[in-house]
Amino acid sequence: MKRPEFYTQTEYWKKYNDFLPKELQYKATKLPTEIYWKWKDYSIHIDKMPIDNSPIKVIILHGSGANGRVLGLYGNYLNELGYEYLAPDLIGYGLTKNPSNRNIVYDEWVNCVSDLVDEEYQKDKKPIVLFGLSVGGMLAYQVACKNSKVKGIIVTTLADPRLQKVRDDLSKNKFLSRVALPIGVGNFTKPIFDHLSLPIKWLCKMDRITNNKDFSKVFSNDKLGGGSKVKFRFLRTYLNYKPYKEPEQFDSCKVLFLQPGKDTWTTLETSKPFFDRIKGYKKLVILENCGHAPYEEVGLTTMKAEIQKFLNEQKE
């Protein structure tokens, strides 16, 4: 089935509103502007809420179970505070186009976002903060290692997939993380497996993306997000990606780590070892009562306050 051009031509993303508090819901009278940005052979779909006098731009990065439109719900709050945000659909997700159907490697996510930072900074020299949720958190870190224009990063996980503990946490089960995946993503087997694809929800704990089983099903059945497929080549290069800087050398920008307190997918133990190794300024805040995709109180109020404080600091 051919993908639509714009989210205004689709209905599925509206299902998320049914589970969200009012301040995070999309309003029919205030939807983001939809644009396409040409990057290499791809047409990157971006939801954008511009504000001329915004002191900072925030680029929101989704993970393996979402897309830019889904995570724009956090952008609604940022926009109310007076901040411009962009929420790209990363390659393979949402409405972003891969016309040559290229079998991508994970490095292209890092390079694409880094080039988007350059593109946006060049327009008006406004400081740029990356806000990465789920595995988008590590993506934000990896981009900040590569691109000095990133002023700060806000993350909800810092899951380094090179570590076996993290692979266990991210994967659907330990048989997958310790037996099946090592075979499927090994360098010796890549000629056989690289072009194969599997549904994301077969590979990871999509049922834990929220602590509400009905809401998690909305994510898992979204054909433009958690209901899509991933190829083994992307998975192999994601699991083995080496950042430009290891955390002991990272002092490129400030880091705000917002760990959901009731996250049963990536717990504090998943990310804290990596966080502890970061050399530069960092702050850890626990979001009480929040699941993997944080939207519950009282953690939501904490998250909003910490984000506002962090962004105010980046203006200086």
Short mmCIF file of all heavy atoms in Angstrom, two decimals, residues 69-128:
data_model
loop_
_atom_site.label_atom_id
_atom_site.label_comp_id
_atom_site.label_asym_id
_atom_site.label_seq_id
_atom_site.Cartn_x
_atom_site.Cartn_y
_atom_site.Cartn_z
N ARG A 69 5.57 12.11 14.29
CA ARG A 69 4.24 12.59 14.65
C ARG A 69 3.85 12.11 16.05
O ARG A 69 3.28 12.87 16.84
CB ARG A 69 3.22 12.11 13.62
CG ARG A 69 1.74 12.41 13.95
CD ARG A 69 1.46 13.87 14.25
NE ARG A 69 1.82 14.78 13.20
CZ ARG A 69 0.93 15.39 12.40
NH1 ARG A 69 -0.35 15.15 12.54
NH2 ARG A 69 1.36 16.24 11.47
N VAL A 70 4.18 10.88 16.38
CA VAL A 70 3.86 10.36 17.71
C VAL A 70 4.58 11.17 18.79
O VAL A 70 3.98 11.59 19.78
CB VAL A 70 4.25 8.87 17.83
CG1 VAL A 70 4.08 8.38 19.27
CG2 VAL A 70 3.42 8.02 16.88
N LEU A 71 5.87 11.42 18.59
CA LEU A 71 6.64 12.11 19.63
C LEU A 71 6.44 13.61 19.62
O LEU A 71 6.88 14.31 20.52
CB LEU A 71 8.13 11.77 19.50
CG LEU A 71 8.48 10.33 19.86
CD1 LEU A 71 9.96 10.18 20.06
CD2 LEU A 71 7.75 9.87 21.11
N GLY A 72 5.75 14.10 18.61
CA GLY A 72 5.40 15.51 18.61
C GLY A 72 4.52 15.88 19.79
O GLY A 72 4.38 17.06 20.13
N LEU A 73 3.93 14.88 20.44
CA LEU A 73 3.10 15.17 21.61
C LEU A 73 3.93 15.85 22.69
O LEU A 73 3.41 16.67 23.46
CB LEU A 73 2.45 13.89 22.13
CG LEU A 73 3.33 12.71 22.54
CD1 LEU A 73 3.66 12.76 24.02
CD2 LEU A 73 2.63 11.40 22.19
N TYR A 74 5.22 15.54 22.77
CA TYR A 74 6.09 16.26 23.71
C TYR A 74 6.43 17.63 23.17
O TYR A 74 6.71 18.56 23.93
CB TYR A 74 7.36 15.45 23.98
CG TYR A 74 7.07 14.12 24.64
CD1 TYR A 74 7.09 12.94 23.90
CD2 TYR A 74 6.74 14.04 25.98
CE1 TYR A 74 6.81 11.71 24.50
CE2 TYR A 74 6.45 12.82 26.59
CZ TYR A 74 6.49 11.66 25.84
OH TYR A 74 6.19 10.47 26.41
N GLY A 75 6.41 17.76 21.86
CA GLY A 75 6.66 19.05 21.23
C GLY A 75 5.55 20.04 21.52
O GLY A 75 5.79 21.25 21.59
N ASN A 76 4.32 19.55 21.69
CA ASN A 76 3.21 20.45 22.00
C ASN A 76 3.51 21.23 23.28
O ASN A 76 3.26 22.44 23.36
CB ASN A 76 1.92 19.65 22.18
CG ASN A 76 1.47 19.02 20.88
OD1 ASN A 76 1.78 19.49 19.80
ND2 ASN A 76 0.72 17.93 20.99
N TYR A 77 4.03 20.53 24.26
CA TYR A 77 4.39 21.20 25.52
C TYR A 77 5.51 22.21 25.30
O TYR A 77 5.46 23.35 25.77
CB TYR A 77 4.80 20.17 26.57
CG TYR A 77 5.55 20.77 27.72
CD1 TYR A 77 4.92 21.61 28.63
CD2 TYR A 77 6.93 20.54 27.87
CE1 TYR A 77 5.63 22.18 29.67
CE2 TYR A 77 7.63 21.11 28.90
CZ TYR A 77 6.98 21.93 29.80
OH TYR A 77 7.68 22.51 30.83
N LEU A 78 6.54 21.81 24.55
CA LEU A 78 7.66 22.71 24.27
C LEU A 78 7.18 23.96 23.56
O LEU A 78 7.63 25.07 23.84
CB LEU A 78 8.71 21.99 23.41
CG LEU A 78 9.42 20.80 24.06
CD1 LEU A 78 10.26 20.07 23.01
CD2 LEU A 78 10.30 21.26 25.21
N ASN A 79 6.26 23.76 22.63
CA ASN A 79 5.74 24.88 21.86
C ASN A 79 4.98 25.87 22.74
O ASN A 79 5.08 27.08 22.56
CB ASN A 79 4.84 24.35 20.74
CG ASN A 79 4.65 25.36 19.63
OD1 ASN A 79 3.56 25.87 19.44
ND2 ASN A 79 5.72 25.66 18.90
N GLU A 80 4.24 25.33 23.71
CA GLU A 80 3.52 26.20 24.64
C GLU A 80 4.48 27.04 25.47
O GLU A 80 4.14 28.16 25.90
CB GLU A 80 2.63 25.35 25.57
CG GLU A 80 1.45 24.68 24.88
CD GLU A 80 0.44 25.68 24.33
OE1 GLU A 80 0.26 26.75 24.94
OE2 GLU A 80 -0.15 25.38 23.27
N LEU A 81 5.69 26.52 25.70
CA LEU A 81 6.70 27.27 26.46
C LEU A 81 7.40 28.32 25.60
O LEU A 81 8.17 29.13 26.12
CB LEU A 81 7.76 26.31 27.01
CG LEU A 81 7.36 25.39 28.15
CD1 LEU A 81 8.53 24.49 28.51
CD2 LEU A 81 6.91 26.18 29.37
N GLY A 82 7.14 28.28 24.29
CA GLY A 82 7.76 29.26 23.39
C GLY A 82 8.96 28.74 22.62
O GLY A 82 9.74 29.53 22.09
N TYR A 83 9.08 27.41 22.54
CA TYR A 83 10.21 26.82 21.83
C TYR A 83 9.78 26.19 20.52
O TYR A 83 8.75 25.51 20.43
CB TYR A 83 10.90 25.75 22.69
CG TYR A 83 11.56 26.31 23.92
CD1 TYR A 83 10.98 26.12 25.18
CD2 TYR A 83 12.74 27.04 23.83
CE1 TYR A 83 11.59 26.64 26.32
CE2 TYR A 83 13.35 27.55 24.97
CZ TYR A 83 12.78 27.36 26.20
OH TYR A 83 13.37 27.87 27.33
N GLU A 84 10.59 26.41 19.50
CA GLU A 84 10.38 25.75 18.20
C GLU A 84 10.87 24.31 18.28
O GLU A 84 11.89 24.03 18.89
CB GLU A 84 11.17 26.51 17.13
CG GLU A 84 11.09 25.89 15.75
CD GLU A 84 11.80 26.73 14.69
OE1 GLU A 84 11.99 27.94 14.93
OE2 GLU A 84 12.15 26.16 13.64
N TYR A 85 10.13 23.42 17.66
CA TYR A 85 10.60 22.03 17.62
C TYR A 85 10.46 21.44 16.23
O TYR A 85 9.63 21.88 15.43
CB TYR A 85 9.87 21.16 18.65
CG TYR A 85 8.52 20.63 18.23
CD1 TYR A 85 8.40 19.48 17.45
CD2 TYR A 85 7.34 21.26 18.62
CE1 TYR A 85 7.17 18.99 17.07
CE2 TYR A 85 6.10 20.77 18.25
CZ TYR A 85 6.02 19.63 17.48
OH TYR A 85 4.78 19.14 17.09
N LEU A 86 11.31 20.47 15.96
CA LEU A 86 11.24 19.66 14.75
C LEU A 86 11.21 18.20 15.17
O LEU A 86 11.93 17.80 16.10
CB LEU A 86 12.45 19.89 13.84
CG LEU A 86 12.68 21.27 13.25
CD1 LEU A 86 13.51 22.12 14.21
CD2 LEU A 86 13.39 21.18 11.91
N ALA A 87 10.38 17.40 14.52
CA ALA A 87 10.29 15.98 14.83
C ALA A 87 10.37 15.19 13.53
O ALA A 87 9.37 14.96 12.86
CB ALA A 87 8.99 15.68 15.57
N PRO A 88 11.58 14.78 13.15
CA PRO A 88 11.74 14.03 11.89
C PRO A 88 11.28 12.58 12.03
O PRO A 88 11.38 11.98 13.10
CB PRO A 88 13.24 14.11 11.63
CG PRO A 88 13.85 14.23 12.99
CD PRO A 88 12.88 15.02 13.81
N ASP A 89 10.79 12.04 10.92
CA ASP A 89 10.60 10.59 10.80
C ASP A 89 11.94 10.02 10.33
O ASP A 89 12.37 10.29 9.20
CB ASP A 89 9.53 10.25 9.76
CG ASP A 89 8.12 10.62 10.22
OD1 ASP A 89 7.91 10.81 11.42
OD2 ASP A 89 7.23 10.70 9.35
N LEU A 90 12.60 9.27 11.18
CA LEU A 90 13.88 8.69 10.79
C LEU A 90 13.69 7.65 9.70
O LEU A 90 12.60 7.09 9.54
CB LEU A 90 14.57 8.09 12.02
CG LEU A 90 14.85 9.11 13.14
CD1 LEU A 90 15.33 8.42 14.40
CD2 LEU A 90 15.87 10.15 12.68
N ILE A 91 14.71 7.41 8.93
CA ILE A 91 14.62 6.55 7.74
C ILE A 91 14.09 5.17 8.13
O ILE A 91 14.59 4.53 9.04
CB ILE A 91 15.98 6.42 7.05
CG1 ILE A 91 16.52 7.80 6.66
CG2 ILE A 91 15.88 5.53 5.80
CD1 ILE A 91 17.99 7.81 6.31
N GLY A 92 13.05 4.74 7.43
CA GLY A 92 12.40 3.47 7.72
C GLY A 92 11.13 3.62 8.52
O GLY A 92 10.39 2.64 8.71
N TYR A 93 10.83 4.83 8.98
CA TYR A 93 9.67 5.08 9.83
C TYR A 93 8.83 6.22 9.27
O TYR A 93 9.30 7.06 8.51
CB TYR A 93 10.11 5.42 11.25
CG TYR A 93 10.67 4.25 12.01
CD1 TYR A 93 11.98 3.84 11.82
CD2 TYR A 93 9.89 3.54 12.91
CE1 TYR A 93 12.50 2.76 12.51
CE2 TYR A 93 10.39 2.45 13.61
CZ TYR A 93 11.70 2.07 13.40
OH TYR A 93 12.21 0.98 14.08
N GLY A 94 7.58 6.24 9.71
CA GLY A 94 6.70 7.34 9.37
C GLY A 94 6.53 7.52 7.87
O GLY A 94 6.40 6.55 7.13
N LEU A 95 6.58 8.77 7.42
CA LEU A 95 6.33 9.11 6.03
C LEU A 95 7.61 9.43 5.25
O LEU A 95 7.53 9.82 4.09
CB LEU A 95 5.36 10.30 5.95
CG LEU A 95 4.00 10.09 6.64
CD1 LEU A 95 3.13 11.32 6.48
CD2 LEU A 95 3.29 8.85 6.08
N THR A 96 8.76 9.26 5.89
CA THR A 96 10.02 9.49 5.19
C THR A 96 10.16 8.51 4.03
O THR A 96 9.84 7.33 4.17
CB THR A 96 11.20 9.36 6.17
OG1 THR A 96 11.26 10.57 6.95
CG2 THR A 96 12.53 9.17 5.46
N LYS A 97 10.66 9.03 2.89
CA LYS A 97 10.71 8.23 1.66
C LYS A 97 12.12 7.73 1.38
O LYS A 97 13.09 8.48 1.45
CB LYS A 97 10.22 9.07 0.49
CG LYS A 97 8.77 9.55 0.64
CD LYS A 97 8.39 10.49 -0.48
CE LYS A 97 6.98 11.04 -0.28
NZ LYS A 97 6.60 12.02 -1.32
N ASN A 98 12.18 6.46 1.06
CA ASN A 98 13.43 5.81 0.64
C ASN A 98 13.17 5.27 -0.77
O ASN A 98 12.90 4.09 -0.96
CB ASN A 98 13.77 4.68 1.62
CG ASN A 98 15.04 3.93 1.25
OD1 ASN A 98 15.71 4.23 0.27
ND2 ASN A 98 15.37 2.91 2.03
N PRO A 99 13.21 6.16 -1.78
CA PRO A 99 12.75 5.79 -3.13
C PRO A 99 13.52 4.65 -3.77
O PRO A 99 12.96 3.89 -4.57
CB PRO A 99 12.91 7.09 -3.93
CG PRO A 99 13.87 7.91 -3.16
CD PRO A 99 13.68 7.55 -1.72
N SER A 100 14.79 4.51 -3.44
CA SER A 100 15.57 3.42 -4.03
C SER A 100 15.49 2.16 -3.17
O SER A 100 16.13 1.15 -3.51
CB SER A 100 17.03 3.85 -4.20
OG SER A 100 17.59 4.21 -2.95
N ASN A 101 14.71 2.23 -2.09
CA ASN A 101 14.55 1.09 -1.18
C ASN A 101 15.92 0.58 -0.70
O ASN A 101 16.15 -0.62 -0.62
CB ASN A 101 13.76 -0.04 -1.84
CG ASN A 101 13.19 -1.02 -0.83
OD1 ASN A 101 12.92 -0.66 0.32
ND2 ASN A 101 13.03 -2.26 -1.24
N ARG A 102 16.80 1.52 -0.39
CA ARG A 102 18.15 1.17 0.04
C ARG A 102 18.10 0.44 1.38
O ARG A 102 17.33 0.80 2.27
CB ARG A 102 18.99 2.43 0.16
CG ARG A 102 20.44 2.18 0.55
CD ARG A 102 21.22 3.46 0.70
NE ARG A 102 21.29 4.18 -0.57
CZ ARG A 102 21.80 5.41 -0.68
NH1 ARG A 102 22.25 6.03 0.38
NH2 ARG A 102 21.83 5.99 -1.85
N ASN A 103 18.93 -0.56 1.51
CA ASN A 103 19.06 -1.32 2.75
C ASN A 103 20.02 -0.55 3.66
O ASN A 103 21.23 -0.68 3.55
CB ASN A 103 19.57 -2.72 2.46
CG ASN A 103 19.46 -3.66 3.65
OD1 ASN A 103 19.01 -3.27 4.71
ND2 ASN A 103 19.89 -4.89 3.46
N ILE A 104 19.47 0.25 4.55
CA ILE A 104 20.28 1.24 5.25
C ILE A 104 21.08 0.63 6.42
O ILE A 104 20.76 -0.44 6.92
CB ILE A 104 19.43 2.41 5.77
CG1 ILE A 104 18.51 1.95 6.91
CG2 ILE A 104 18.63 3.04 4.65
CD1 ILE A 104 17.90 3.10 7.69
N VAL A 105 22.10 1.37 6.81
CA VAL A 105 22.87 1.05 8.02
C VAL A 105 22.54 2.11 9.07
O VAL A 105 22.11 3.22 8.75
CB VAL A 105 24.39 1.02 7.75
CG1 VAL A 105 24.74 -0.12 6.81
CG2 VAL A 105 24.88 2.35 7.19
N TYR A 106 22.75 1.77 10.33
CA TYR A 106 22.40 2.66 11.43
C TYR A 106 23.16 3.98 11.35
O TYR A 106 22.64 5.04 11.73
CB TYR A 106 22.68 1.98 12.77
CG TYR A 106 22.39 2.88 13.96
CD1 TYR A 106 21.08 3.14 14.35
CD2 TYR A 106 23.43 3.48 14.68
CE1 TYR A 106 20.81 3.97 15.43
CE2 TYR A 106 23.16 4.30 15.76
CZ TYR A 106 21.85 4.54 16.13
OH TYR A 106 21.59 5.37 17.19
N ASP A 107 24.37 3.95 10.84
CA ASP A 107 25.18 5.18 10.72
C ASP A 107 24.41 6.28 9.99
O ASP A 107 24.62 7.47 10.27
CB ASP A 107 26.47 4.91 9.93
CG ASP A 107 27.29 3.77 10.51
OD1 ASP A 107 26.73 2.67 10.68
OD2 ASP A 107 28.48 3.98 10.79
N GLU A 108 23.52 5.90 9.08
CA GLU A 108 22.77 6.90 8.33
C GLU A 108 21.81 7.68 9.22
O GLU A 108 21.52 8.84 8.96
CB GLU A 108 22.04 6.24 7.16
CG GLU A 108 23.01 5.76 6.08
CD GLU A 108 22.31 5.10 4.91
OE1 GLU A 108 22.11 3.88 4.95
OE2 GLU A 108 21.96 5.81 3.95
N TRP A 109 21.30 7.06 10.27
CA TRP A 109 20.50 7.81 11.24
C TRP A 109 21.35 8.88 11.89
O TRP A 109 20.93 10.04 11.99
CB TRP A 109 19.94 6.86 12.31
CG TRP A 109 18.64 6.21 11.98
CD1 TRP A 109 18.12 6.00 10.74
CD2 TRP A 109 17.69 5.70 12.91
NE1 TRP A 109 16.91 5.36 10.83
CE2 TRP A 109 16.62 5.16 12.16
CE3 TRP A 109 17.64 5.61 14.30
CZ2 TRP A 109 15.50 4.57 12.77
CZ3 TRP A 109 16.54 5.03 14.90
CH2 TRP A 109 15.48 4.52 14.14
N VAL A 110 22.53 8.51 12.35
CA VAL A 110 23.41 9.47 13.02
C VAL A 110 23.80 10.59 12.07
O VAL A 110 23.72 11.78 12.41
CB VAL A 110 24.67 8.76 13.57
CG1 VAL A 110 25.61 9.76 14.24
CG2 VAL A 110 24.29 7.65 14.54
N ASN A 111 24.21 10.24 10.87
CA ASN A 111 24.66 11.25 9.90
C ASN A 111 23.51 12.14 9.45
O ASN A 111 23.69 13.35 9.25
CB ASN A 111 25.29 10.56 8.70
CG ASN A 111 26.56 9.82 9.06
OD1 ASN A 111 27.23 10.15 10.04
ND2 ASN A 111 26.91 8.80 8.29
N CYS A 112 22.33 11.57 9.28
CA CYS A 112 21.16 12.34 8.86
C CYS A 112 20.80 13.39 9.90
O CYS A 112 20.61 14.57 9.57
CB CYS A 112 19.98 11.39 8.61
SG CYS A 112 18.45 12.24 8.16
N VAL A 113 20.71 12.99 11.16
CA VAL A 113 20.36 13.94 12.22
C VAL A 113 21.46 15.00 12.38
O VAL A 113 21.17 16.19 12.56
CB VAL A 113 20.10 13.22 13.55
CG1 VAL A 113 19.84 14.22 14.67
CG2 VAL A 113 18.92 12.26 13.41
N SER A 114 22.72 14.59 12.27
CA SER A 114 23.82 15.56 12.37
C SER A 114 23.73 16.60 11.25
O SER A 114 23.92 17.80 11.49
CB SER A 114 25.16 14.83 12.30
OG SER A 114 26.23 15.75 12.39
N ASP A 115 23.42 16.16 10.05
CA ASP A 115 23.27 17.10 8.93
C ASP A 115 22.04 17.99 9.12
O ASP A 115 22.04 19.16 8.69
CB ASP A 115 23.19 16.35 7.61
CG ASP A 115 24.53 15.77 7.17
OD1 ASP A 115 25.55 16.08 7.82
OD2 ASP A 115 24.57 15.00 6.20
N LEU A 116 21.00 17.46 9.73
CA LEU A 116 19.82 18.28 10.02
C LEU A 116 20.18 19.37 11.03
O LEU A 116 19.73 20.51 10.89
CB LEU A 116 18.69 17.40 10.56
CG LEU A 116 17.39 18.13 10.93
CD1 LEU A 116 16.78 18.84 9.73
CD2 LEU A 116 16.38 17.14 11.53
N VAL A 117 20.98 19.04 12.01
CA VAL A 117 21.47 20.05 12.97
C VAL A 117 22.21 21.15 12.23
O VAL A 117 21.97 22.35 12.45
CB VAL A 117 22.38 19.40 14.03
CG1 VAL A 117 23.10 20.47 14.86
CG2 VAL A 117 21.57 18.48 14.95
N ASP A 118 23.11 20.77 11.32
CA ASP A 118 23.86 21.76 10.54
C ASP A 118 22.92 22.65 9.73
O ASP A 118 23.09 23.88 9.68
CB ASP A 118 24.83 21.06 9.58
CG ASP A 118 26.01 20.44 10.29
OD1 ASP A 118 26.32 20.86 11.43
OD2 ASP A 118 26.64 19.53 9.71
N GLU A 119 21.96 22.01 9.08
CA GLU A 119 21.00 22.73 8.23
C GLU A 119 20.21 23.75 9.03
O GLU A 119 20.06 24.91 8.61
CB GLU A 119 20.05 21.71 7.59
CG GLU A 119 18.96 22.31 6.74
CD GLU A 119 19.30 22.33 5.27
OE1 GLU A 119 20.40 21.91 4.89
OE2 GLU A 119 18.46 22.81 4.49
N GLU A 120 19.71 23.34 10.18
CA GLU A 120 18.89 24.23 10.99
C GLU A 120 19.73 25.33 11.65
O GLU A 120 19.29 26.48 11.75
CB GLU A 120 18.13 23.43 12.05
CG GLU A 120 17.02 22.57 11.49
CD GLU A 120 15.95 23.37 10.78
OE1 GLU A 120 15.57 24.45 11.29
OE2 GLU A 120 15.50 22.95 9.69
N TYR A 121 20.91 25.00 12.08
CA TYR A 121 21.78 26.00 12.70
C TYR A 121 22.18 27.07 11.70
O TYR A 121 22.26 28.26 12.03
CB TYR A 121 23.02 25.34 13.29
CG TYR A 121 23.91 26.30 14.05
CD1 TYR A 121 23.60 26.67 15.36
CD2 TYR A 121 25.05 26.86 13.45
CE1 TYR A 121 24.39 27.57 16.05
CE2 TYR A 121 25.84 27.74 14.14
CZ TYR A 121 25.51 28.10 15.44
OH TYR A 121 26.31 29.00 16.12
N GLN A 122 22.41 26.65 10.47
CA GLN A 122 22.83 27.58 9.43
C GLN A 122 21.76 28.65 9.14
O GLN A 122 22.08 29.77 8.77
CB GLN A 122 23.16 26.81 8.14
CG GLN A 122 23.79 27.64 7.04
CD GLN A 122 25.13 28.25 7.45
OE1 GLN A 122 25.90 27.62 8.18
NE2 GLN A 122 25.41 29.46 7.00
N LYS A 123 20.51 28.30 9.37
CA LYS A 123 19.41 29.22 9.05
C LYS A 123 19.41 30.46 9.93
O LYS A 123 19.15 31.57 9.47
CB LYS A 123 18.06 28.50 9.19
CG LYS A 123 17.81 27.45 8.12
CD LYS A 123 16.49 26.74 8.37
CE LYS A 123 16.26 25.67 7.33
NZ LYS A 123 15.00 24.91 7.59
N ASP A 124 19.67 30.28 11.24
CA ASP A 124 19.51 31.43 12.15
C ASP A 124 20.46 31.41 13.35
O ASP A 124 20.36 32.27 14.23
CB ASP A 124 18.07 31.48 12.67
CG ASP A 124 17.57 30.13 13.14
OD1 ASP A 124 18.40 29.32 13.59
OD2 ASP A 124 16.36 29.87 13.03
N LYS A 125 21.38 30.42 13.38
CA LYS A 125 22.39 30.31 14.44
C LYS A 125 21.79 30.13 15.83
O LYS A 125 22.45 30.37 16.84
CB LYS A 125 23.31 31.55 14.44
CG LYS A 125 24.02 31.81 13.12
CD LYS A 125 24.95 30.67 12.78
CE LYS A 125 25.85 31.00 11.59
NZ LYS A 125 25.12 31.13 10.31
N LYS A 126 20.56 29.66 15.92
CA LYS A 126 19.96 29.39 17.22
C LYS A 126 20.54 28.12 17.82
O LYS A 126 20.80 27.15 17.11
CB LYS A 126 18.44 29.23 17.10
CG LYS A 126 17.70 30.52 16.79
CD LYS A 126 16.20 30.27 16.69
CE LYS A 126 15.45 31.57 16.38
NZ LYS A 126 13.99 31.33 16.24
N PRO A 127 20.76 28.10 19.14
CA PRO A 127 21.25 26.87 19.78
C PRO A 127 20.27 25.73 19.54
O PRO A 127 19.05 25.94 19.48
CB PRO A 127 21.31 27.24 21.27
CG PRO A 127 21.30 28.73 21.30
CD PRO A 127 20.55 29.19 20.10
N ILE A 128 20.81 24.51 19.43
CA ILE A 128 19.99 23.34 19.15
C ILE A 128 20.16 22.32 20.27
O ILE A 128 21.29 21.98 20.66
CB ILE A 128 20.35 22.73 17.79
CG1 ILE A 128 19.93 23.69 16.68
CG2 ILE A 128 19.68 21.37 17.60
CD1 ILE A 128 20.31 23.25 15.28
#
